């Protein structure tokens, strides 16, 4: 493939859901081969120290889409609506003449109350964008079409995907579940993918009709129809997120012998931090601590990733044929990881590396990025860095938005520069309101908060109302030894606590005026007649008095 | 006057501008007699330790009107627009059936860019309210109709007050300046109130046509026309804010002998904190450090306060005649103080008591407040406490808004309760971007920030990038000795810095979901079919499987 010189025209922003940083062959997985993603890394830069702003879908994504910490945008959990006034990726790109479009998941909940207060019709163009992080929804599908005794989980209308499946002859009210996320079980009964013992059974749907190929085709449809307007397409796969179930052949492509050993230590269960203990005590943590579960689920988790890699191969081939690889900046990343039993944990929802660290690969077609192709970058980078990166890719100075955007453009790193002032810390946050411990009397959701601040060596976790946790990633890369109560590390804790305190006091809400605007208006009040501290008319230049002096009429 | 039992029907929220806490006779001023305000205090509670969220008009007011810290609402300076999504007093009161109306100043700058982004017409009812902190502007007048070589200071249309003056025969383009804020000077020339040497000359306007009586009459007009809907009227006087000039007889009511001694010490100029030094070095500080300036200006500052007191006497008499004193909760306060030369300073813009402390009097007509009438309350209270107070006055539980409101309802104090969990700290903030020191290369407005956190004894000032300041209000009530670099006070500084760090990490932006809503939805995902960490169908109740199991079709 030849990389054309010149500016970025399009951006393909690919996000997987719940993909750990280390489940790709380019990130060192010994058995899972992902050649198409590896090839993307060979064309671009692979970041080894990329973190999310929260180890949970919605909060992390709102940070990706706003370029702001969770503490700033306020969507602290999966179903917390993003405030109507928050400015999002699409808002930043549209003035540059770029169409921001969505295929797949955002996990955005619209601030219906806020829209009503401001008279914004949710069905208007603006209302839809406000409800989709600024994206024009080409194919929105949050990928969780669950239904239970209290009704559907997702309040939005059933997805186009369900209609597609029905048109293809897949029957029932919810073919998303009954075909794409269920297998055939004992006695020909439906084996729901929600029961993980069925994970390795093949989903009933044909592979080509499963979610990942469907969304890939929708991305191709979008690119085919897009016309001449530059676009930023967010292709946001639900997989390898649960339900852990895959269509043939991906259900059966890996086996228990391909599962890498669990990363955990008895040391972690000796006098653990109370909130870590509560997290290890969750049902999902107990379930994933069982080897039989890992051996059934992880091969399918790997298969779902392999399917994404195969689909990206098709997508990249299509893009190459259309010449789109020459002018499209491609990002591949994930919204958070998956413990998969490591650290006695299931799911995400805490700050160990399997949960909070993500893969991040960026391939910039510009000639300015030629020097870094195939390279590995170990700077500390974060989800909030993408919006400023995209702005700079389009030639817009992200510094003009530094009163809103809290990340840092990665473009200098893609050009092989070595900035001397690169941020020393990354910050991630989590609201554990859903843990039983947060439901104790007098506790309340406002207190159920944790902050992680990490530099290149130390990871410090501040748990409001409790002692902190501390890990030395250099001597203890597996994060087995919590030094949060060890007197020998008081100085490190003080240093990290100080950095977090400074972060907490950062300027994050002056979103209506940039630093440059602040500087530009300095002294303007005097030119507009505000004359403070003047004793005598002779104290200030005569022209400032022009409208004030003279004879009374 | 008889106080009727029962619920509050109306709220009269009176704010002066730049009125120091100690320039009222009920707060101990030896020469300035304010019998009408004193009488209000005799009917209510007088708070002796009330602080503003910022010692500058706009930021302080946005905190009063949103019930949120400056760090939360982001309007860090006078002309920083309040973000379109911020929820304001009017937004809170309207659903309770209360009309929130404005007579006078808010110093609000509308977020025009945000309104445009969200498709909100600034001239629509919602747009006007968004532009006025949620108030319906009955008579908006920010009171600064300055004009200079670069045009008018206030971007809004000229005020109704100017038309009023013209209708009364006061001539010229800007009778606000030429008559209400100017005197007759040497050789019959116009003596602008902007030059303080003219302060004690009588303004050219007749007293009855000056700003304070005009706004008082507009408040009476409002009450006369208001009808049966409960109202919250924000009567927001521009005075005693500069230009320091008053109509006869108020220009000449006090003299140099009525001016209380300046509060300053040479100790303050010995190795001062760099940012305090820069503040003392401002022109307005130098000017107010001269006794001739104080002797000319302070008598008029006192006269302007006396005029407000006289006008409030008329207003309260009118309200009494209409029976409104029986059902109207009355608040009297200010948006910040005025150094008037104390601490070698002019204006406000720093954290000494003359700047950051305000008068606050609340008279609640309800019988539940009878026990506290005429009492003095020394709890630490803040500007952000008023919105929750108003909500509780109308019978609405402010705890339901605790995800947005950061203050504390004062109603328990008005009822004479002694809450055991009253906040131990108040916090104020200031953005000193306008100081020359903030214009040095590499500095930038984002860094030019200071935070004050004070408890009942200690006042700690964190200046980003500098050493802190510390005052012991118990042993040094005049705040002459900055202990910010004294090794003997390291423990106090650590304690206060820790409290500020905790404050910085507070939850302030999850404005779209209350704690109660968070609790109510707990476990609901499972009832809507999200089944996480399930190995076997037998692991969870059968009804949760109702939509998932059964025979494949």
């Amino acid at each position: 493939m030849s990389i054309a010189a010149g500016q970025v025209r399009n951006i393909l922003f690919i996000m997987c859901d719940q993909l750990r940083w280390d489940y790709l062959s380019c990130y060192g997985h010994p058995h899972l081969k992902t050649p198409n993603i590896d090839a993307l890394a060979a064309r671009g830069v692979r970041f080894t120290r990329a973190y999310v702003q929260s180890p949970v879908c919605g909060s992390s994504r709102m940070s990706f889409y706003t370029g702001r910490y969770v503490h700033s945008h306020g969507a602290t959990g999966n179903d917390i609506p993003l405030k109507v006034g928050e400015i999002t990726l699409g808002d930043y790109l549209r003035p540059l003449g770029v169409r921001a479009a969505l295929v797949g998941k955002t996990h955005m909940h619209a601030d219906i109350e806020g829209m009503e207060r401001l008279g914004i019709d949710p069905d208007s163009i603006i209302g839809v964008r406000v409800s989709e992080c600024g994206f024009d929804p080409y194919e929105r599908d949050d990928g969780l079409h669950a239904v239970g005794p209290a009704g559907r989980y997702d309040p939005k209308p059933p997805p186009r995907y369900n209609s597609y499946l029905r048109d293809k002859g897949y029957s029932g009210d919810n073919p998303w579940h009954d075909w794409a996320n269920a297998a055939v079980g004992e006695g020909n009964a439906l084996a729901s993918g929600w029961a993980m013992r069925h994970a390795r059974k093949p989903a009933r749907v044909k592979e080509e009709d499963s979610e990942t190929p469907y969304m890939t085709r929708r991305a191709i449809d979008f690119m085919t129809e897009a016309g001449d307007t530059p676009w930023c397409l967010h292709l946001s796969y639900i997989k390898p997120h649960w339900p852990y179930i895959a269509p043939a052949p991906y259900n059966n492509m890996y086996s228990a012998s391909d599962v890498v050993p669990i990363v955990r230590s008895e040391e972690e269960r000796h006098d653990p931090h109370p909130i870590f203990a509560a997290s290890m005590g969750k049902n999902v943590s107990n379930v994933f601590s069982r080897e039989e579960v890992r051996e059934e689920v992880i091969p399918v988790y790997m298969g779902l990733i392999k399917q994404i890699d195969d689909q990206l191969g098709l997508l990249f081939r299509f893009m190459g044929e259309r010449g789109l690889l020459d002018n499209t900046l491609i990002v591949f990343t994930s919204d958070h990881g998956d413990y998969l039993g490591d650290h006695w944990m299931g799911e995400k929802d805490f700050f160990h590396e399997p949960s909070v660290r993500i893969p991040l690969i960026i391939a910039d077609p510009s000639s300015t990025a030629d020097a870094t192709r195939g390279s590995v970058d170990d700077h500390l980078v974060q989800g909030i860095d993408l919006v400023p990166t995209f702005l700079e890719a389009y030639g817009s100075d992200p510094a003009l938005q530094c009163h809103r955007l809290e990340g840092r453009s990665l473009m200098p790193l893609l050009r092989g520069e070595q900035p001397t002032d690169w941020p020393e810390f990354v910050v991630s946050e989590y609201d554990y309101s859903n843990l039983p411990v947060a439901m104790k009397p007098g506790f309340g959701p406002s207190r159920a908060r944790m902050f992680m601040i990490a530099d290149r060596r130390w990871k410090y976790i501040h748990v409001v109302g409790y002692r902190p946790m501390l890990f030395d990633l250099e001597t203890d890369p597996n994060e087995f030894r919590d030094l949060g109560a060890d007197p020998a590390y008081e100085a490190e804790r003080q240093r990290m606590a100080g950095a977090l305190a400074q972060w907490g006091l950062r300027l994050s809400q002056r979103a209506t005026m940039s630093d440059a605007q602040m500087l530009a208006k300095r002294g303007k009040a005097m030119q507009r007649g505000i004359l403070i501290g003047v004793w005598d008319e002779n104290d200030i230049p005569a022209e400032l008095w022009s409208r004030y002096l003279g004879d009374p009429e």
Side-chain angles (χ1 to χ4, degrees), chain A residues 250-310:
Chain A
Y250 296 101
N251 69 305
N252 205 25
M253 211 171 261
Y254 301 96
S255 66
S257 62
D258 298 311
V259 174
V260 293
I262 199 164
V263 177
R264 70 184 183 195
S265 162
E266 282 299 331
E267 195 176 352
E268 297 179 277
R269 300 210 281 188
H270 175 71
D271 193 22
H273 188 285
I275 301 305
F276 179 42
S279 300
M280 289 191 290
K282 289 194 295 187
N283 178 60
V284 68
S285 296
N286 290 327
V287 170
F288 270 97
S289 294
R290 287 153 53 190
E291 270 304 322
E292 66 170 330
V293 174
R294 284 173 40 86
E295 290 179 2
E296 193 75 18
V297 170
I298 292 178
V300 175
Y301 181 78
M302 292 166 67
L304 290 167
I305 297 165
K306 181 70 177 174
Q307 186 184 24
I308 289 173
D309 187 73
D310 286 343

Side-chain angles (χ1 to χ4, degrees), chain A residues 275 432 437-449 463-466:
Chain A
I275 301 305
Y432 61 90
V437 65
M439 299 297 144
K440 287 196 293 192
F443 203 101
S446 298
R447 189 184 146 188
R449 298 178 297 123
V463 188
V464 175
Y466 290 91

Side-chain angles (χ1 to χ4, degrees), chain A residues 480-550:
Chain A
F480 289 155
R481 279 189 300 285
D482 174 10
L483 307 171
D486 187 334
Y489 294 89
E490 179 60 22
E492 285 307 333
R493 286 194 298 270
Q494 289 282 349
R495 189 177 66 83
M496 299 301 280
L500 183 64
Q502 190 176 332
W503 175 85
L505 294 175
R506 77 199 181 282
L507 182 65
S508 71
Q509 300 301 326
R510 200 196 65 212
T512 55
M513 192 169 289
S514 69
D515 280 21
Q517 286 171 311
M518 297 277 287
L519 292 172
K521 73 187 177 54
R522 189 181 177 226
K524 290 289 163 55
M526 197 174 236
Q527 292 293 326
R528 296 186 186 278
I530 298 288
L531 307 178
I532 302 174
V534 177
W535 173 249
D536 189 286
E537 289 85 340
N538 298 319
D539 290 346
I540 56 171
E543 71 264 23
L544 295 178
W545 287 113
S546 60
R547 309 296 189 94
Y548 291 145
L549 301 183

Side-chain angles (χ1 to χ4, degrees), chain A residues 318-359:
Chain A
F318 164 84
M319 291 176 70
E321 288 163 4
R322 297 292 179 110
L324 289 168
L325 291 181
D326 299 337
N327 58 16
T328 302
L329 181 142
I330 301 178
V331 175
F332 177 87
T333 191
S334 175
D335 64 345
H336 56 75
D338 192 327
Y339 274 104
L340 294 173
D342 290 350
H343 303 285
W344 311 94
M345 293 276 286
E347 278 276 88
K348 46 264 182 182
D349 309 308
F350 217 91
F351 295 123
H352 297 89
E353 300 282 280
S355 172
V356 79
R357 189 163 157 194
I358 49 166

